[in-house]
Amino acid sequence: MAIEIEAAPSVQLSRVADSETHGENLAYFAGWKAYDEDPYNEASNPSGVIQMGLAENQVSFDLLEECLEKHSEASTWGKGAPGFRENALFQDYHGLLTFRKAIVSFMEEIRCGGAKFDPERVVLTAGATAANELLTFILADPGDALLVPTPYYPGFDRDLRWRTGVKIVPIVCDSSNNFQITTEALEAAYELAESMNIRVRGVLITNPSNPLGVTISRSVLEDILDFATRKNIHLVSDEIYSGSVFSSSEFVSVAEVLEAREYRASERVHIVYSLSKDLGLPGFRVGTIYSYNDKVVTTARRMSSFTLISSQTQHLLACMLSDKKFAKNYIEINRTRLRKRYERIIDGLRSAGIECLKGNAGLFCWMNLSPLLEKPTRESELDLWRTMLQEVKLNISPGSSCHCSEPGWFRVCFANMSEHTLEVALERIHKYMEQRRT
Amino acid sequence: MEFASEKTHESLSKIARNDGHGEDSPYFDGWKAYDQNPFHPTQNPDGVIQMGLAENQLCFDLIEEWIKNNPTASICTSDGVGKFKDVAIFQDYHGLLEFRQAVAKFMGRVRRGKSTFDPNHIVMSGGATGASETLIFCLADPGDAFLVPSPYYPAFDRDLRWRTGVRIIPVDCDSSNNFQVTLAQIESAYTKAKEANINVKGVILTNPSNPLGITLSRETLTSLLSFTSEKNLHMVCDEIYSASVFNSPAFTSISEVMQETECNPNLVHIIYSLSKDMGLPGFRVGIIYSYNDQVVQCARKMSSFGLVSSQSQHLLASMLSDEVFIEKFLEESPRRLAKRHGHFVKGLKQANIHCLEGNAGLFLWMDLRHLMKVPTLDAEMKLWRVIIEDVKLNVSPGSSFHCPEPGFFRVCFANMDDHTVEVALKRIREFVSKRSENADDKKLLKKKHWRNTNLRLSFTSSKCDESLMSPHQRMSPHSPVPHSPLVRART
């Protein structure tokens, strides 16, 4: 006689748990799954899928490893550095002062001294993911909105909206002016929100932009800041790729704009930073919020209890980044290497007949495949994306996953692989484009 | 750099503007007193001794030795730097497999093999603080409630409620039965809540208990588990002190009880962390272990907001899977805790102070009712101020744990060296003997004034008590006297 084994009755979870706002059923992640199932490996799986959908910086690890060799105190916890015991016990949400000072110094170096930062305004979080969510909890109530220029980082849908209940209203940008943010677009987004009875609490920009790979110009920053001031809303500037600008003179931080204005109306401005991209250390979970608003600093610090940075990691990075010579050297060399990669991929794509947006920063390029689309629609774009994934065996990110208003654009990462792998990828694209022509 | 921020105060969210962060509680006042005047054996021997911080500092020598002997566990040493790149890139929210395996094994060892844990059900979070909050986000909507036996860990008010919008319904326990929570109490609280149209989603137990320092009995756990399963409520067990049980009865985990009790495993979840048992709060290692696949998946996605640093995962994966070391540690740590605990209890007895008979945790639940004139919150607060300012000990008043019965205090004993223990005990002895002298004097004073009216006497005595508070304290926004949110919450 068969015995029926009843599965334990399933249980109702929260609305947040049931919602799809975590975003994982989207194309952006489907590509990752395809890669996970058939990952390229130079030796063992040379025909596998090459991961070009992951914005990681793997070009400068040798510099980090060299630095570690010089700083044994990072591991021994001895000789003047805080002992193991103190470090292991340290859970103060202010964060290690040495670490905050080191981060400040690094951020100032990236901006070539164009802005000064105060370590007392640095709030630490476990990654920029946590920083953006935390700021949203502080600046907006459920049902409110943040305005975000499109195309934008797909993770924002989860980070800004999932548990906070806050909405994103897009500031639509397009290729007619190289996707730059305009005052008209800002106003249009604000009006759209108003027409839906949604209260706008702030603008969130990413500078340099992900996925565009372009810095925002000073005059556009001024316009955005003026807009935020006019509407009396916040401005969050996610500057996570600030150290990955190919030429130092081309990056202007909102901090510099504020300094030039003698910090008038600065209490509405907050900067997000992280070491995941510039230093290539996403595993260490190092994010920061820098706010010019005292109440935001205090509240963010309290909230960071849910997402502190491991004191072991704070100690390690304090040791490394306090070495100003290393920091300066790293930033310069890293920039140069990224620029070289960028130039190589642009060149390779061009010779295959593909153009990209003229970029000057980041770990990716913004590739224009709209001429290849059957129809200028999202569906066509996704068809093309599937072809890229399944036939060309490249995982690249479709513009629609970044909420791009124009179909046919793709984000292609170039810094998360060896030079050889990049050549293999370019070779595959070449072959594909040739096949298409015949 | 100073920036005018008042006018944008209204431009922040409700969450940012409310006091859900919990820092206005007296729990933190004592910390502030300590921060301003911290005890140091040589540099500041008259400073405040920190007895409000539940830390385990007794076994660092063992861990430090292990680290010295295992240079490959660190990605910074020349032995370990080969792994630097792979570890530094690793941000997969599943967590390093070795780490999950090591934690699962460790949790099983702590439970003496009575239950085993599946590494695929282990989800990381930013400390137990992050774990608690994340779990609530998964299980409940704003406005829903959880039943929590009181006295309970003060930060639950923030962790479970602040950003989630969820409510806590305390289930009051008192000294009549040694503060043990009973099925009857939980049932009654549940019924009352339902009558008030509150949607109760579950029960949260801390076992071993903070602040009581006792383990829950197998019978209690069984009856509560049956009840929650029957009512389709979640059973969340915070077992953060599970490896800090130093006297009998031995620790019984909900994971064990589940095997012998008819229940719905989809309703059972465990919170864990290495902050207490291993003494590593700085490393932010929080763990959610759920028997519900959906919860595991949801919590894992949410863990993106609070992953454990891969550097720390790597170190701990190595440490926790060193079976020889762990066996030694799990024997030695409770032994040292038992010794310290016993010594403290004895010292307090000599001062005629009794504690709840505890067998776990890093603290004692001290009974000071006999030192209060009346069993009120006011009296407890006054006594507490005296202990901080005159005796110079930061202990935590029971009211900050929502204890319904005034007069109890949590005293931490594992966050200091032996010398400091002696200083603390000495101060307590001196305080108690001085107080009984004063009591005698006061008795004489009372006799003299008895011929005057009672009204004038009580007016005089309250003025007397007020002067015990310095002007600074009276002006403190953290004053727990009548307008404190704590008092408001209870009426």
Side-chain angles (χ1 to χ4, degrees), chain A residues 5 117 128 143 183:
Chain A
I5 300 171
F117 295 99
T183 300

Side-chain angles (χ1 to χ4, degrees), chain A residues 7-18 22 24 32 54 56 58 61 64-65 68-69 71-72 74-77 83-85 87-91 93 116-118 121 126 129-130 133-134 136-142 158-159 162-163 199 201 232 234 259 263 265-268 270 276-277 280-285 290-296 299 302-303 305-314 316 320, chain B residues 1-5 7-18 21 23-24 53 55-58 60-61 63-64 67 73-77 81-82 84-85 87-91 93 125-127 129-130 133-134 136-142 158-160 162-164 201 232 234 263-267 275-276 279-284 292 294-295 298 301-302 304-313 315 319:
Chain A
S10 74
V11 166
Q12 184 64 37
L13 300 186
S14 66
R15 285 193 290 270
V16 163
D18 284 341
H22 51 72
E24 287 199 17
W32 288 31
L54 191 48
E56 267 178 6
Q58 295 191 27
F61 271 112
L64 297 171
E65 285 157 355
L68 278 176
E69 275 168 38
H71 289 276
S72 62
S75 63
T76 54
W77 281 289
F84 172 80
R85 172 187 297 239
N87 186 243
L89 287 172
F90 187 84
Q91 57 173 328
Y93 60 25
K116 286 220 112 350
F117 295 99
D118 176 0
R121 292 193 169 280
T129 300
E133 188 199 42
L134 206 144
T136 306
F137 267 121
I138 291 177
L139 304 179
D141 291 308
R158 171 197 60 193
D159 300 349
W162 191 20
R163 304 191 305 181
R199 188 176 167 198
R201 301 307 287 269
N232 194 23
H234 294 275
E259 209 167 275
Y263 299 104
S266 57
E267 72 277 4
R268 65 183 71 257
H270 326 278
S276 299
K277 308 297 178 184
L281 307 171
F284 288 179
R285 313 317 301 145
Y290 189 91
S291 176
Y292 294 89
N293 182 316
D294 291 342
K295 176 87 173 137
V296 171
T299 308
R302 287 176 173 154
M303 243 184 229
S305 298
F306 297 112
T307 182
L308 297 175
I309 302 178
S310 168
S311 54
Q312 180 192 19
T313 301
Q314 290 188 49
L316 163 62
M320 289 175 73
Chain B
M1 290 174 217
E2 298 227 344
F3 306 101
S5 44
K7 55 181 169 150
T8 50
H9 175 80
E10 330 76 69
S11 75
L12 302 187
S13 68
K14 296 196 186 83
I15 286 177
R17 293 182 342 243
N18 70 25
H21 51 75
E23 289 196 12
D24 298 333
L53 192 48
E55 273 174 0
N56 182 354
Q57 294 191 26
L58 304 187
F60 275 119
D61 56 321
I63 297 182
E64 279 161 347
I67 289 182
S74 163
I75 50 177
C76 314
T77 60
V81 76
F84 180 83
K85 180 177 166 178
V87 171
I89 302 183
F90 189 86
Q91 60 172 330
Y93 62 24
S125 57
T129 300
E133 191 199 43
T134 296
I136 299 301
F137 266 123
C138 292
L139 304 181
D141 296 316
R158 171 197 65 193
D159 299 349
L160 310 181
W162 191 17
R163 304 192 302 182
T164 61
K201 291 302 296 229
N232 207 31
H234 289 283
C263 69
N264 180 357
N266 280 327
L267 290 168
S275 300
K276 308 295 178 183
L280 307 171
F283 293 2
R284 315 312 305 145
N292 179 323
Q294 249 193 304
V295 172
C298 181
K301 292 177 171 108
M302 282 188 190
S304 299
F305 298 113
L307 297 173
V308 176
S309 166
S310 53
Q311 178 195 15
S312 302
Q313 288 186 53
L315 173 73
M319 194 188 294

Side-chain angles (χ1 to χ4, degrees), chain B residues 272-381:
Chain B
Y272 189 55
S273 161
L274 299 182
S275 300
K276 308 295 178 183
D277 290 342
M278 302 286 296
L280 307 171
F283 293 2
R284 315 312 305 145
V285 181
I287 302 289
I288 297 170
Y289 191 92
S290 176
Y291 292 88
N292 179 323
D293 285 332
Q294 249 193 304
V295 172
V296 169
Q297 281 170 45
C298 181
R300 193 180 279 138
K301 292 177 171 108
M302 282 188 190
S303 69
S304 299
F305 298 113
L307 297 173
V308 176
S309 166
S310 53
Q311 178 195 15
S312 302
Q313 288 186 53
H314 179 72
L315 173 73
L316 294 165
S318 198
M319 194 188 294
L320 296 180
S321 47
D322 183 338
E323 302 207 3
V324 171
F325 168 72
I326 290 302
E327 185 167 334
K328 179 175 179 194
F329 186 93
L330 289 179
E331 246 177 60
E332 187 61 17
S333 179
R335 199 190 66 80
R336 294 181 186 185
L337 287 171
K339 188 167 171 215
R340 177 59 71 83
H341 173 266
H343 182 74
F344 229 102
V345 167
K346 193 161 149 214
L348 290 175
K349 273 210 182 101
Q350 285 168 0
N352 200 29
I353 292 176
H354 298 277
C355 300
L356 183 68
E357 195 170 324
N359 66 327
L362 311 173
F363 30 71
L364 304 158
W365 189 236
M366 185 169 70
D367 183 355
L368 294 185
R369 288 176 294 173
H370 60 294
L371 296 182
M372 294 180 349
K373 282 190 233 137
V374 278
T376 64
L377 169 64
D378 245 14
E380 178 182 291
M381 287 290 103

Side-chain angles (χ1 to χ4, degrees), chain B residues 27-42:
Chain B
Y27 183 65
F28 295 99
D29 269 3
W31 288 31
K32 286 163 193 155
Y34 166 78
D35 281 338
Q36 285 160 12
N37 183 20
F39 171 82
H40 185 277
T42 47

